């Protein structure tokens, strides 16, 4: 049964990771979806994995969509939004680009220039699902990609209530959590919580290009965690950073001040007050990190970590987790580290502080080596 509140069929214009994932999720919920992409191969892959049907090139034979989801790259998303508003006069049009202000300005300029009427523009609403993977393209798509992820809806006073309702219903059907923000507030927010981390990860990773292999062999989870998102698509990030440059620049100016301050201190690390300044810098990082929401979006909470040594053999992790479940202890977080030069791993299990000793005793009794 098709989900209520989503006019069908849904046309998804763009079959990359996000567009194809939306198609998979909506199809799983029973929606009638069609796909369109300038790349025939990308579209064919998305069709083959079940994200929807190919939208007919002959528009006279094509169904009239009730919703158009523009999943095009950020540098052309505005053009595709405007084209969709003109080409499909009865459809609600939403985009999922990661920068909202630039697209909103393109739509407003099209109204001023007479290419769109105010009524046409009212059918558009900008959105941004805050989900993704390091891998790109339709082969990386997952129908559950948006589960529990924030999905920002950036309506204006001119946006029709129907467009807002449809956009929010799509987000809910896909399992996301809806957040309403202005385009300006959204762009300022993602500049800090998304775009700056990407820049930082890429800058750190760039230092590794000429690093000797013997040095990299010493690396652990600290380096891997810090640089994980540096594997992202360069072409996509060129578009994102260029589109949100003003907001990002304000943050980079602040980072530059912090770096200049640290460099000045490190040039004379034994000078009076130098160690205090370094400590304050790290403490400021502690304070900022503590503000990141914890599990289920709740306020941050310090968990206790139980570290279990496991052999590098099949079934070890599942066996540990089965024993954790039998002990009646809930796993709040989980991570795996490897011991360099040894065929063992260290499974770090985060639990509520009051359950640490219970879990340690239970796992030890089962024969596990708990650190």
């Amino acid at each position: 049964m098709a989900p209520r509140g989503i006019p069908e069929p849904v046309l998804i214009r763009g079959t990359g990771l996000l567009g194809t994932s939306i198609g998979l999720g909506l199809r799983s919920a029973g929606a009638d979806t069609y796909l369109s992409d300038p790349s025939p191969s990308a579209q064919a892959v998305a069709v083959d994995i079940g994200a929807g049907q190919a939208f007919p090139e002959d528009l006279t034979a094509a169904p009239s969509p009730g919703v158009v989801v523009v999943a095009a790259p950020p540098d052309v998303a505005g053009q595709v939004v405007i084209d969709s508003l003109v080409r499909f006069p009865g459809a609600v049009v939403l985009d999922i680009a990661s920068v909202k202000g630039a697209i909103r300005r393109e739509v407003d300029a099209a109204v001023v220039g007479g290419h769109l009427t105010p009524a046409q523009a009212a059918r558009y609403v900008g959105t941004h699902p805050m989900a993704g993977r390091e891998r790109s393209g339709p082969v990386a798509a997952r129908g559950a990609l948006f589960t529990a992820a924030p999905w920002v809806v950036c309506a204006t006073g001119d946006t029709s209530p129907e467009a807002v309702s449809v956009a929010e219903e799509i987000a809910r059907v896909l399992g996301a959590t809806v957040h309403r923000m202005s385009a300006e507030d959204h762009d300022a927010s993602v500049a800090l919580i998304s775009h700056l981390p990407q820049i930082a990860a890429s800058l750190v990773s760039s230092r590794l290009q000429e690093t000797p292999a013997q040095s990299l062999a010493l690396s652990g989870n600290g380096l891997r965690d810090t640089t994980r998102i540096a594997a992202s698509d360069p072409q996509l990030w060129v578009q994102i950073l260029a589109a949100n440059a003003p907001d990002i620049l304000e943050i980079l100016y602040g980072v530059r001040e912090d770096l200049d301050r640290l460099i000045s201190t490190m040039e004379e690390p034994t000078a009076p007050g130098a160690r205090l300044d370094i400590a304050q810098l790290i403490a400021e990082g502690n304070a900022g990190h503590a503000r990141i929401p914890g599990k289920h979006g709740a306020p941050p909470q310090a968990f206790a970590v139980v570290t279990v040594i496991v052999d590098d053999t099949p079934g070890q992790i599942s066996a540990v987790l089965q024993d954790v479940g039998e002990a009646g202890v809930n796993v709040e977080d989980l991570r795996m580290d490897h011991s360099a030069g040894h065929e063992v791993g260290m499974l770090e299990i985060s639990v509520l502080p009051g359950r640490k000793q219970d879990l340690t005793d239970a796992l030890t009794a089962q024969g596990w080596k708990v650190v």
Side-chain angles (χ1 to χ4, degrees):
M1 180 181 294
R4 290 184 176 182
I6 301 178
E8 296 182 272
V10 177
L11 169 60
I12 301 170
R13 300 188 69 177
T15 54
L17 168 65
L18 295 185
T20 304
S21 295
I22 290 173
L24 289 170
L26 291 179
R27 280 290 297 275
S28 178
D32 187 17
T33 63
Y34 285 83
L35 308 172
S36 175
D37 195 289
S39 168
S41 59
Q43 179 177 306
V45 170
V47 171
D48 286 346
I49 64 177
Q53 307 173 60
F55 195 69
E57 294 184 10
D58 180 6
L59 292 182
T60 61
S64 179
V67 183
V68 178
V69 178
V70 174
D75 60 345
V76 297
Q79 302 168 33
V80 180
V81 164
I82 293 168
D83 176 76
S84 299
L85 290 168
V86 173
R87 184 180 298 191
F88 307 112
V92 168
V93 177
L94 61 99
D95 80 287
I96 59 168
S98 54
V99 179
K100 307 275 39 107
I103 297 174
R104 180 78 253 177
R105 289 189 290 273
E106 284 190 63
V107 172
D108 291 343
V111 173
V112 173
H115 302 293
L116 288 176
T117 67
Q120 288 174 319
R123 291 187 282 111
Y124 162 69
V125 58
T127 80
H128 180 204
M130 301 287 291
R133 305 178 69 189
E134 289 77 48
R135 297 171 59 197
S136 60
V139 293
R142 298 290 184 272
L145 183 66
F146 309 101
T147 301
W151 192 306
V152 185
V153 176
C154 299
T156 71
D158 297 324
T159 307
S160 75
E162 179 192 9
V164 176
S165 176
V166 168
E168 293 184 347
E169 185 60 21
I170 287 176
R172 292 191 187 99
V173 165
L174 294 174
T177 303
V178 175
H179 296 257
R180 287 194 183 189
M181 301 178 77
S182 68
E184 294 75 19
D185 287 345
H186 166 274
D187 289 355
S189 297
V190 296
L192 179 60
I193 59 107
S194 176
H195 303 167
L196 178 63
Q198 176 64 50
I199 293 169
S202 296
L203 289 175
V204 171
S205 294
S206 72
R207 300 292 91 199
L208 306 178
Q209 294 178 88
E210 306 299 328
T211 302
Q214 63 180 7
S215 298
L216 291 176
L218 304 178
S219 61
N221 275 351
L223 182 65
R224 283 189 285 270
D225 289 348
T226 303
T227 60
R228 179 181 60 83
I229 57 175
S232 300
D233 180 8
Q235 182 177 354
L236 173 64
W237 276 97
V238 166
Q239 299 175 38
I240 293 173
L241 297 184
N244 207 25
D247 285 309
I248 296 170
L249 269 175
E250 288 302 313
I251 297 169
L252 289 179
Y253 290 147
V255 172
R256 182 170 65 184
E257 291 178 5
D258 289 339
L259 281 174
D260 287 342
R261 165 187 158 194
L262 178 60
I263 289 170
S264 178
T265 298
M266 296 294 287
E267 286 174 341
E268 296 186 64
T270 60
R275 290 177 176 82
L276 175 60
D277 194 47
I278 294 172
Q280 286 177 335
L281 184 66
I282 301 300
E284 289 166 9
N286 295 159
H289 180 268
R291 298 198 65 217
I292 300 173
K295 186 178 179 182
H296 306 314
Q301 181 175 15
F303 296 123
V305 176
V306 176
T307 302
V308 184
I309 303 298
V310 295
D311 293 331
D312 189 13
T313 57
Q316 287 281 288
I317 296 176
S318 60
V320 173
L321 293 179
Q322 181 175 344
D323 286 343
V324 172
E326 291 178 357
V329 178
N330 190 54
V331 175
E332 304 296 337
D333 201 358
L334 187 70
R335 62 184 291 169
M336 183 76 181
D337 198 2
H338 292 278
S339 180
H342 300 277
E343 293 185 357
V344 298
M346 292 173 286
L347 189 64
E348 298 180 354
I349 306 170
S350 295
V351 299
L352 293 176
R355 301 308 308 275
K356 178 179 180 179
Q357 192 60 50
D358 295 338
L359 182 58
T360 299
D361 293 343
L363 293 179
T364 301
Q366 292 293 332
W368 296 104
K369 185 176 182 179
V370 180
V371 180

